[in-house]
Amino acid sequence: MKPLSTPRAHVPALGLVLFGLLAPQTLAQSKGKGLPSFQPVPAAEALDGNRLVQASLLLDHDALVPGSTALLGLRLEIEPEWHVYWRNNGDTGAPMSFRFETSHPGIEIGAPRYPAPSRYPHDISLDYIYETEVVVLFPVTVGDSVPRGTATIDAQVSWLVCKDSCLPGRASVELETVVAPRNAPSSSRTTFEAWQKRIPAQLTPSNDVRMRWNDSTLVIEAPGASAMTFFPYESDISPQPLEPVADGTAKGAVLKVRFDTSEVGEVPVSGVLEVRRGDRAAFFEILSPGR
Protein backbone atom coordinates (compact mmCIF):
# COMPACT_ATOMS: atom_id res chain seq x y z
CA MET A 1 0.00 0.00 0.00
CA LYS A 2 1.17 3.57 -0.62
CA PRO A 3 2.55 5.46 2.41
CA LEU A 4 0.57 8.38 3.70
CA SER A 5 1.94 11.80 2.91
CA THR A 6 2.57 14.14 5.80
CA PRO A 7 2.80 17.93 6.09
CA ARG A 8 6.11 19.57 5.30
CA ALA A 9 8.11 21.33 7.97
CA HIS A 10 8.84 25.03 7.78
CA VAL A 11 12.50 24.21 8.48
CA PRO A 12 14.52 23.13 5.44
CA ALA A 13 16.40 19.85 5.93
CA LEU A 14 14.54 19.11 9.17
CA GLY A 15 12.70 16.24 7.53
CA LEU A 16 16.09 14.76 6.74
CA VAL A 17 17.00 14.89 10.40
CA LEU A 18 13.81 13.06 11.34
CA PHE A 19 14.48 10.24 8.92
CA GLY A 20 18.09 9.85 10.00
CA LEU A 21 19.67 11.06 6.80
CA LEU A 22 21.68 13.65 8.69
CA ALA A 23 23.82 13.12 11.79
CA PRO A 24 21.84 13.26 15.06
CA GLN A 25 21.73 16.75 16.56
CA THR A 26 19.62 18.96 18.77
CA LEU A 27 17.86 22.04 17.49
CA ALA A 28 17.77 25.14 19.67
CA GLN A 29 14.41 26.84 19.26
CA SER A 30 14.46 30.21 17.54
CA LYS A 31 13.68 33.21 19.71
CA GLY A 32 12.10 34.90 16.72
CA LYS A 33 10.83 34.02 13.32
CA GLY A 34 13.14 32.13 11.04
CA LEU A 35 15.18 28.97 11.24
CA PRO A 36 16.26 27.37 14.49
CA SER A 37 20.01 27.13 14.97
CA PHE A 38 21.67 23.72 14.70
CA GLN A 39 23.75 22.59 17.66
CA PRO A 40 25.48 19.23 17.08
CA VAL A 41 25.69 16.99 20.14
CA PRO A 42 26.80 13.39 20.69
CA ALA A 43 24.57 10.77 19.09
CA ALA A 44 23.69 9.17 22.43
CA GLU A 45 22.18 12.42 23.68
CA ALA A 46 20.18 12.98 20.50
CA LEU A 47 18.58 9.56 20.96
CA ASP A 48 16.83 10.89 24.08
CA GLY A 49 14.12 12.06 21.69
CA ASN A 50 13.08 8.41 21.44
CA ARG A 51 12.52 8.16 25.18
CA LEU A 52 10.73 11.48 25.66
CA VAL A 53 7.76 10.26 23.60
CA GLN A 54 6.08 6.85 23.84
CA ALA A 55 4.13 5.77 20.75
CA SER A 56 1.41 3.11 20.57
CA LEU A 57 -1.52 2.08 18.35
CA LEU A 58 -5.14 1.70 19.46
CA LEU A 59 -8.24 0.33 17.72
CA ASP A 60 -11.77 1.46 18.55
CA HIS A 61 -13.16 -2.09 18.21
CA ASP A 62 -11.86 -5.51 19.22
CA ALA A 63 -11.90 -6.84 15.65
CA LEU A 64 -11.94 -5.73 12.01
CA VAL A 65 -15.06 -6.68 10.06
CA PRO A 66 -14.86 -7.18 6.27
CA GLY A 67 -16.78 -4.52 4.38
CA SER A 68 -16.65 -2.02 7.23
CA THR A 69 -14.57 0.91 8.50
CA ALA A 70 -12.81 1.05 11.87
CA LEU A 71 -10.86 3.80 13.60
CA LEU A 72 -7.15 3.56 14.40
CA GLY A 73 -5.48 5.81 16.94
CA LEU A 74 -1.80 6.72 17.02
CA ARG A 75 -1.12 7.76 20.61
CA LEU A 76 1.94 9.77 21.60
CA GLU A 77 2.55 10.11 25.35
CA ILE A 78 4.89 13.05 25.88
CA GLU A 79 7.24 13.73 28.78
CA PRO A 80 6.01 16.63 31.00
CA GLU A 81 7.19 20.11 29.88
CA TRP A 82 8.00 18.81 26.38
CA HIS A 83 5.83 19.05 23.28
CA VAL A 84 5.41 17.77 19.71
CA TYR A 85 3.84 19.57 16.76
CA TRP A 86 0.55 19.75 14.88
CA ARG A 87 0.28 19.38 11.08
CA ASN A 88 1.15 23.10 10.85
CA ASN A 89 4.03 23.39 13.28
CA GLY A 90 4.10 27.20 13.13
CA ASP A 91 7.31 29.25 13.16
CA THR A 92 9.64 26.58 14.56
CA GLY A 93 9.73 22.80 14.92
CA ALA A 94 8.37 20.19 12.51
CA PRO A 95 5.19 18.10 12.26
CA MET A 96 5.18 14.41 13.07
CA SER A 97 5.30 11.94 10.21
CA PHE A 98 4.15 8.34 9.84
CA ARG A 99 4.16 5.39 7.47
CA PHE A 100 1.82 2.41 7.76
CA GLU A 101 1.94 -1.17 6.53
CA THR A 102 -0.80 -3.77 6.94
CA SER A 103 -0.74 -7.56 6.78
CA HIS A 104 -3.44 -7.66 4.08
CA PRO A 105 -3.74 -5.48 0.94
CA GLY A 106 -7.47 -5.13 1.60
CA ILE A 107 -6.82 -3.29 4.89
CA GLU A 108 -6.11 0.36 4.10
CA ILE A 109 -5.22 3.27 6.38
CA GLY A 110 -6.82 6.59 5.42
CA ALA A 111 -5.76 10.20 5.88
CA PRO A 112 -4.98 11.47 9.41
CA ARG A 113 -7.54 13.33 11.46
CA TYR A 114 -5.64 15.69 13.74
CA PRO A 115 -7.15 16.91 17.00
CA ALA A 116 -7.04 20.67 17.46
CA PRO A 117 -3.69 21.71 18.99
CA SER A 118 -2.72 24.38 21.51
CA ARG A 119 -1.05 27.72 20.80
CA TYR A 120 2.54 28.08 22.02
CA PRO A 121 3.69 31.71 21.73
CA HIS A 122 7.32 32.51 22.48
CA ASP A 123 8.68 36.01 21.97
CA ILE A 124 7.29 37.16 18.60
CA SER A 125 6.76 33.69 17.10
CA LEU A 126 4.02 31.11 17.51
CA ASP A 127 3.90 27.32 17.27
CA TYR A 128 0.98 24.87 17.31
CA ILE A 129 1.67 21.98 19.65
CA TYR A 130 0.53 19.00 21.69
CA GLU A 131 1.62 18.52 25.29
CA THR A 132 1.31 15.48 27.58
CA GLU A 133 -0.59 13.31 25.08
CA VAL A 134 -2.16 13.30 21.65
CA VAL A 135 -4.11 10.68 19.70
CA VAL A 136 -4.20 11.17 15.92
CA LEU A 137 -7.06 9.25 14.32
CA PHE A 138 -7.07 7.32 11.03
CA PRO A 139 -9.97 5.56 9.30
CA VAL A 140 -9.26 1.90 8.50
CA THR A 141 -11.22 0.41 5.62
CA VAL A 142 -11.52 -3.38 5.46
CA GLY A 143 -12.24 -4.96 2.09
CA ASP A 144 -14.94 -7.54 1.64
CA SER A 145 -12.40 -10.18 0.65
CA VAL A 146 -10.07 -9.85 3.65
CA PRO A 147 -9.91 -13.34 5.19
CA ARG A 148 -10.75 -14.09 8.80
CA GLY A 149 -7.87 -14.55 11.21
CA THR A 150 -5.02 -12.52 12.61
CA ALA A 151 -4.21 -9.11 11.09
CA THR A 152 -1.48 -6.61 11.94
CA ILE A 153 -0.96 -2.90 11.41
CA ASP A 154 2.62 -1.57 11.62
CA ALA A 155 3.59 2.09 11.89
CA GLN A 156 6.88 3.92 11.53
CA VAL A 157 6.53 7.21 13.40
CA SER A 158 8.89 10.19 13.57
CA TRP A 159 8.59 13.39 15.57
CA LEU A 160 10.45 16.40 16.86
CA VAL A 161 10.06 16.86 20.62
CA CYS A 162 10.97 20.24 22.10
CA LYS A 163 11.41 22.12 25.34
CA ASP A 164 14.34 24.58 25.47
CA SER A 165 15.92 22.61 22.63
CA CYS A 166 14.57 20.02 20.22
CA LEU A 167 15.35 16.36 19.69
CA PRO A 168 14.29 14.06 16.85
CA GLY A 169 12.67 10.78 17.81
CA ARG A 170 11.20 7.74 16.13
CA ALA A 171 9.45 4.49 16.93
CA SER A 172 8.22 1.33 15.24
CA VAL A 173 4.92 0.16 16.70
CA GLU A 174 2.59 -2.72 15.87
CA LEU A 175 -1.03 -3.53 16.60
CA GLU A 176 -2.31 -7.09 16.32
CA THR A 177 -6.02 -7.73 15.97
CA VAL A 178 -8.35 -10.20 14.27
CA VAL A 179 -10.63 -10.13 11.25
CA ALA A 180 -14.02 -11.49 12.25
CA PRO A 181 -17.67 -11.32 11.13
CA ARG A 182 -18.63 -9.08 14.06
CA ASN A 183 -16.98 -6.90 16.69
CA ALA A 184 -17.56 -4.89 19.86
CA PRO A 185 -16.11 -1.64 21.24
CA SER A 186 -12.58 -2.10 22.53
CA SER A 187 -11.20 -1.17 25.95
CA SER A 188 -9.91 2.07 24.35
CA ARG A 189 -13.43 3.33 23.65
CA THR A 190 -13.31 6.19 26.17
CA THR A 191 -9.96 7.36 24.79
CA PHE A 192 -11.42 7.58 21.29
CA GLU A 193 -14.50 9.40 22.55
CA ALA A 194 -12.35 12.00 24.34
CA TRP A 195 -10.13 12.75 21.34
CA GLN A 196 -12.95 12.74 18.79
CA LYS A 197 -14.33 15.81 20.59
CA ARG A 198 -11.25 17.74 19.41
CA ILE A 199 -11.50 16.60 15.79
CA PRO A 200 -12.88 19.54 13.76
CA ALA A 201 -16.33 19.06 12.26
CA GLN A 202 -17.55 20.56 9.00
CA LEU A 203 -19.06 23.98 9.54
CA THR A 204 -22.82 24.13 8.88
CA PRO A 205 -25.39 26.96 9.21
CA SER A 206 -26.64 25.44 12.46
CA ASN A 207 -23.27 26.18 14.09
CA ASP A 208 -24.03 29.93 13.85
CA VAL A 209 -20.56 31.00 12.72
CA ARG A 210 -20.22 33.66 10.02
CA MET A 211 -17.18 34.86 8.08
CA ARG A 212 -16.61 37.93 5.93
CA TRP A 213 -13.73 39.98 4.59
CA ASN A 214 -13.02 43.56 5.61
CA ASP A 215 -10.28 44.46 3.13
CA SER A 216 -7.52 41.94 4.02
CA THR A 217 -8.91 41.14 7.48
CA LEU A 218 -10.97 37.98 7.93
CA VAL A 219 -13.76 38.71 10.40
CA ILE A 220 -15.24 35.66 12.13
CA GLU A 221 -18.41 36.09 14.18
CA ALA A 222 -20.00 33.51 16.49
CA PRO A 223 -22.92 34.97 18.47
CA GLY A 224 -22.83 33.92 22.10
CA ALA A 225 -19.17 32.85 22.01
CA SER A 226 -17.02 33.67 25.02
CA ALA A 227 -13.74 33.11 23.11
CA MET A 228 -12.44 31.97 19.71
CA THR A 229 -9.09 30.69 18.46
CA PHE A 230 -7.95 30.12 14.87
CA PHE A 231 -5.37 27.49 13.87
CA PRO A 232 -4.39 27.93 10.19
CA TYR A 233 -3.47 24.96 8.06
CA GLU A 234 0.08 24.81 6.73
CA SER A 235 1.34 27.48 4.33
CA ASP A 236 1.32 25.05 1.39
CA ILE A 237 -2.47 25.20 1.30
CA SER A 238 -3.51 28.32 3.23
CA PRO A 239 -2.31 31.93 3.63
CA GLN A 240 -0.87 32.55 7.08
CA PRO A 241 -2.00 35.30 9.49
CA LEU A 242 0.09 38.45 9.30
CA GLU A 243 0.25 38.72 13.11
CA PRO A 244 -0.57 35.23 14.44
CA VAL A 245 0.39 35.97 18.06
CA ALA A 246 -1.85 39.04 18.27
CA ASP A 247 -4.70 37.98 15.98
CA GLY A 248 -5.04 34.23 16.44
CA THR A 249 -7.26 34.31 19.50
CA ALA A 250 -9.80 36.67 21.05
CA LYS A 251 -12.30 36.87 23.87
CA GLY A 252 -15.88 37.44 22.89
CA ALA A 253 -17.94 36.73 19.79
CA VAL A 254 -15.73 38.41 17.15
CA LEU A 255 -12.28 37.33 15.95
CA LYS A 256 -10.37 39.47 13.43
CA VAL A 257 -7.38 37.93 11.64
CA ARG A 258 -5.20 40.10 9.41
CA PHE A 259 -3.50 38.75 6.28
CA ASP A 260 -1.02 40.06 3.77
CA THR A 261 -3.06 41.57 0.94
CA SER A 262 -0.86 39.88 -1.65
CA GLU A 263 -1.54 36.41 -0.20
CA VAL A 264 -5.33 36.39 -0.04
CA GLY A 265 -7.65 36.21 -2.99
CA GLU A 266 -7.32 33.16 -5.20
CA VAL A 267 -6.35 30.80 -2.35
CA PRO A 268 -8.90 30.68 0.50
CA VAL A 269 -7.87 30.73 4.14
CA SER A 270 -8.39 27.33 5.76
CA GLY A 271 -7.83 25.85 9.17
CA VAL A 272 -9.51 24.97 12.45
CA LEU A 273 -11.67 27.32 14.49
CA GLU A 274 -12.25 26.74 18.21
CA VAL A 275 -15.44 28.33 19.50
CA ARG A 276 -16.08 28.46 23.24
CA ARG A 277 -19.55 29.05 24.54
CA GLY A 278 -19.52 28.94 28.31
CA ASP A 279 -17.56 25.91 29.47
CA ARG A 280 -17.98 24.04 26.17
CA ALA A 281 -15.59 24.09 23.23
CA ALA A 282 -16.48 23.13 19.66
CA PHE A 283 -14.04 22.74 16.78
CA PHE A 284 -14.80 23.41 13.13
CA GLU A 285 -12.93 23.16 9.86
CA ILE A 286 -13.32 26.49 8.08
CA LEU A 287 -12.78 27.79 4.57
CA SER A 288 -12.95 31.54 4.00
CA PRO A 289 -15.45 33.04 1.56
CA GLY A 290 -14.35 34.69 -1.66
CA ARG A 291 -12.80 38.10 -1.27
Side-chain angles (χ1 to χ4, degrees), residues 6-197:
T6 53
R8 292 191 301 174
H10 290 185
V11 183
L14 202 48
L16 300 180
V17 175
L18 293 180
F19 286 102
L21 300 183
L22 298 179
Q25 52 197 302
T26 58
L27 304 174
Q29 285 191 304
S30 170
K31 291 186 177 180
K33 292 185 177 180
L35 303 182
S37 58
F38 285 75
Q39 298 180 354
V41 297
E45 184 177 340
L47 292 176
D48 285 349
N50 297 345
R51 297 194 292 268
L52 292 168
V53 178
Q54 300 298 315
S56 58
L57 295 176
L58 311 171
L59 201 60
D60 66 338
H61 284 77
D62 61 0
L64 299 176
V65 176
S68 70
T69 301
L71 203 56
L72 178 72
L74 169 62
R75 178 165 61 188
L76 300 182
E77 297 172 276
I78 307 155
E79 189 75 12
E81 300 183 6
W82 291 77
H83 59 265
V84 298
Y85 294 87
W86 186 47
R87 53 178 288 178
N88 178 7
N89 46 285
D91 292 317
T92 64
M96 67 189 79
S97 62
F98 22 72
R99 182 186 300 269
F100 290 95
E101 292 184 1
T102 65
S103 56
H104 298 79
I107 300 175
E108 298 186 354
I109 312 300
R113 299 174 183 172
Y114 292 92
S118 298
R119 285 164 50 93
Y120 183 66
H122 45 102
D123 295 327
I124 62 172
S125 59
L126 177 69
D127 294 335
Y128 304 106
I129 67 164
Y130 300 112
E131 298 177 285
T132 308
E133 182 185 59
V134 61
V135 178
V136 183
L137 304 181
F138 302 81
V140 182
T141 57
V142 187
D144 293 330
S145 61
V146 175
R148 299 184 187 182
T150 301
T152 58
I153 299 173
D154 295 284
Q156 302 291 325
V157 190
S158 297
W159 57 80
L160 193 70
V161 58
C162 299
K163 186 181 175 183
D164 298 322
S165 61
C166 297
L167 294 166
R170 65 176 64 193
S172 298
V173 289
E174 180 183 272
L175 181 143
E176 183 175 297
T177 185
V178 295
V179 178
R182 63 185 63 86
N183 60 15
S186 72
S187 59
S188 301
R189 179 178 181 176
T190 56
T191 298
F192 279 92
E193 290 174 348
W195 285 100
Q196 282 179 305
K197 292 178 181 179

Side-chain angles (χ1 to χ4, degrees), residues 191-212:
T191 298
F192 279 92
E193 290 174 348
W195 285 100
Q196 282 179 305
K197 292 178 181 179
R198 294 190 65 86
I199 301 296
Q202 293 295 319
L203 193 62
T204 67
S206 65
N207 301 131
D208 202 12
V209 175
R210 299 185 291 271
M211 291 180 285
R212 59 182 173 86

Side-chain angles (χ1 to χ4, degrees), residues 225-241:
S226 56
M228 286 190 286
T229 302
F230 175 59
F231 306 97
Y233 285 152
E234 54 271 22
S235 60
D236 289 352
I237 61 174
S238 174
Q240 300 297 294

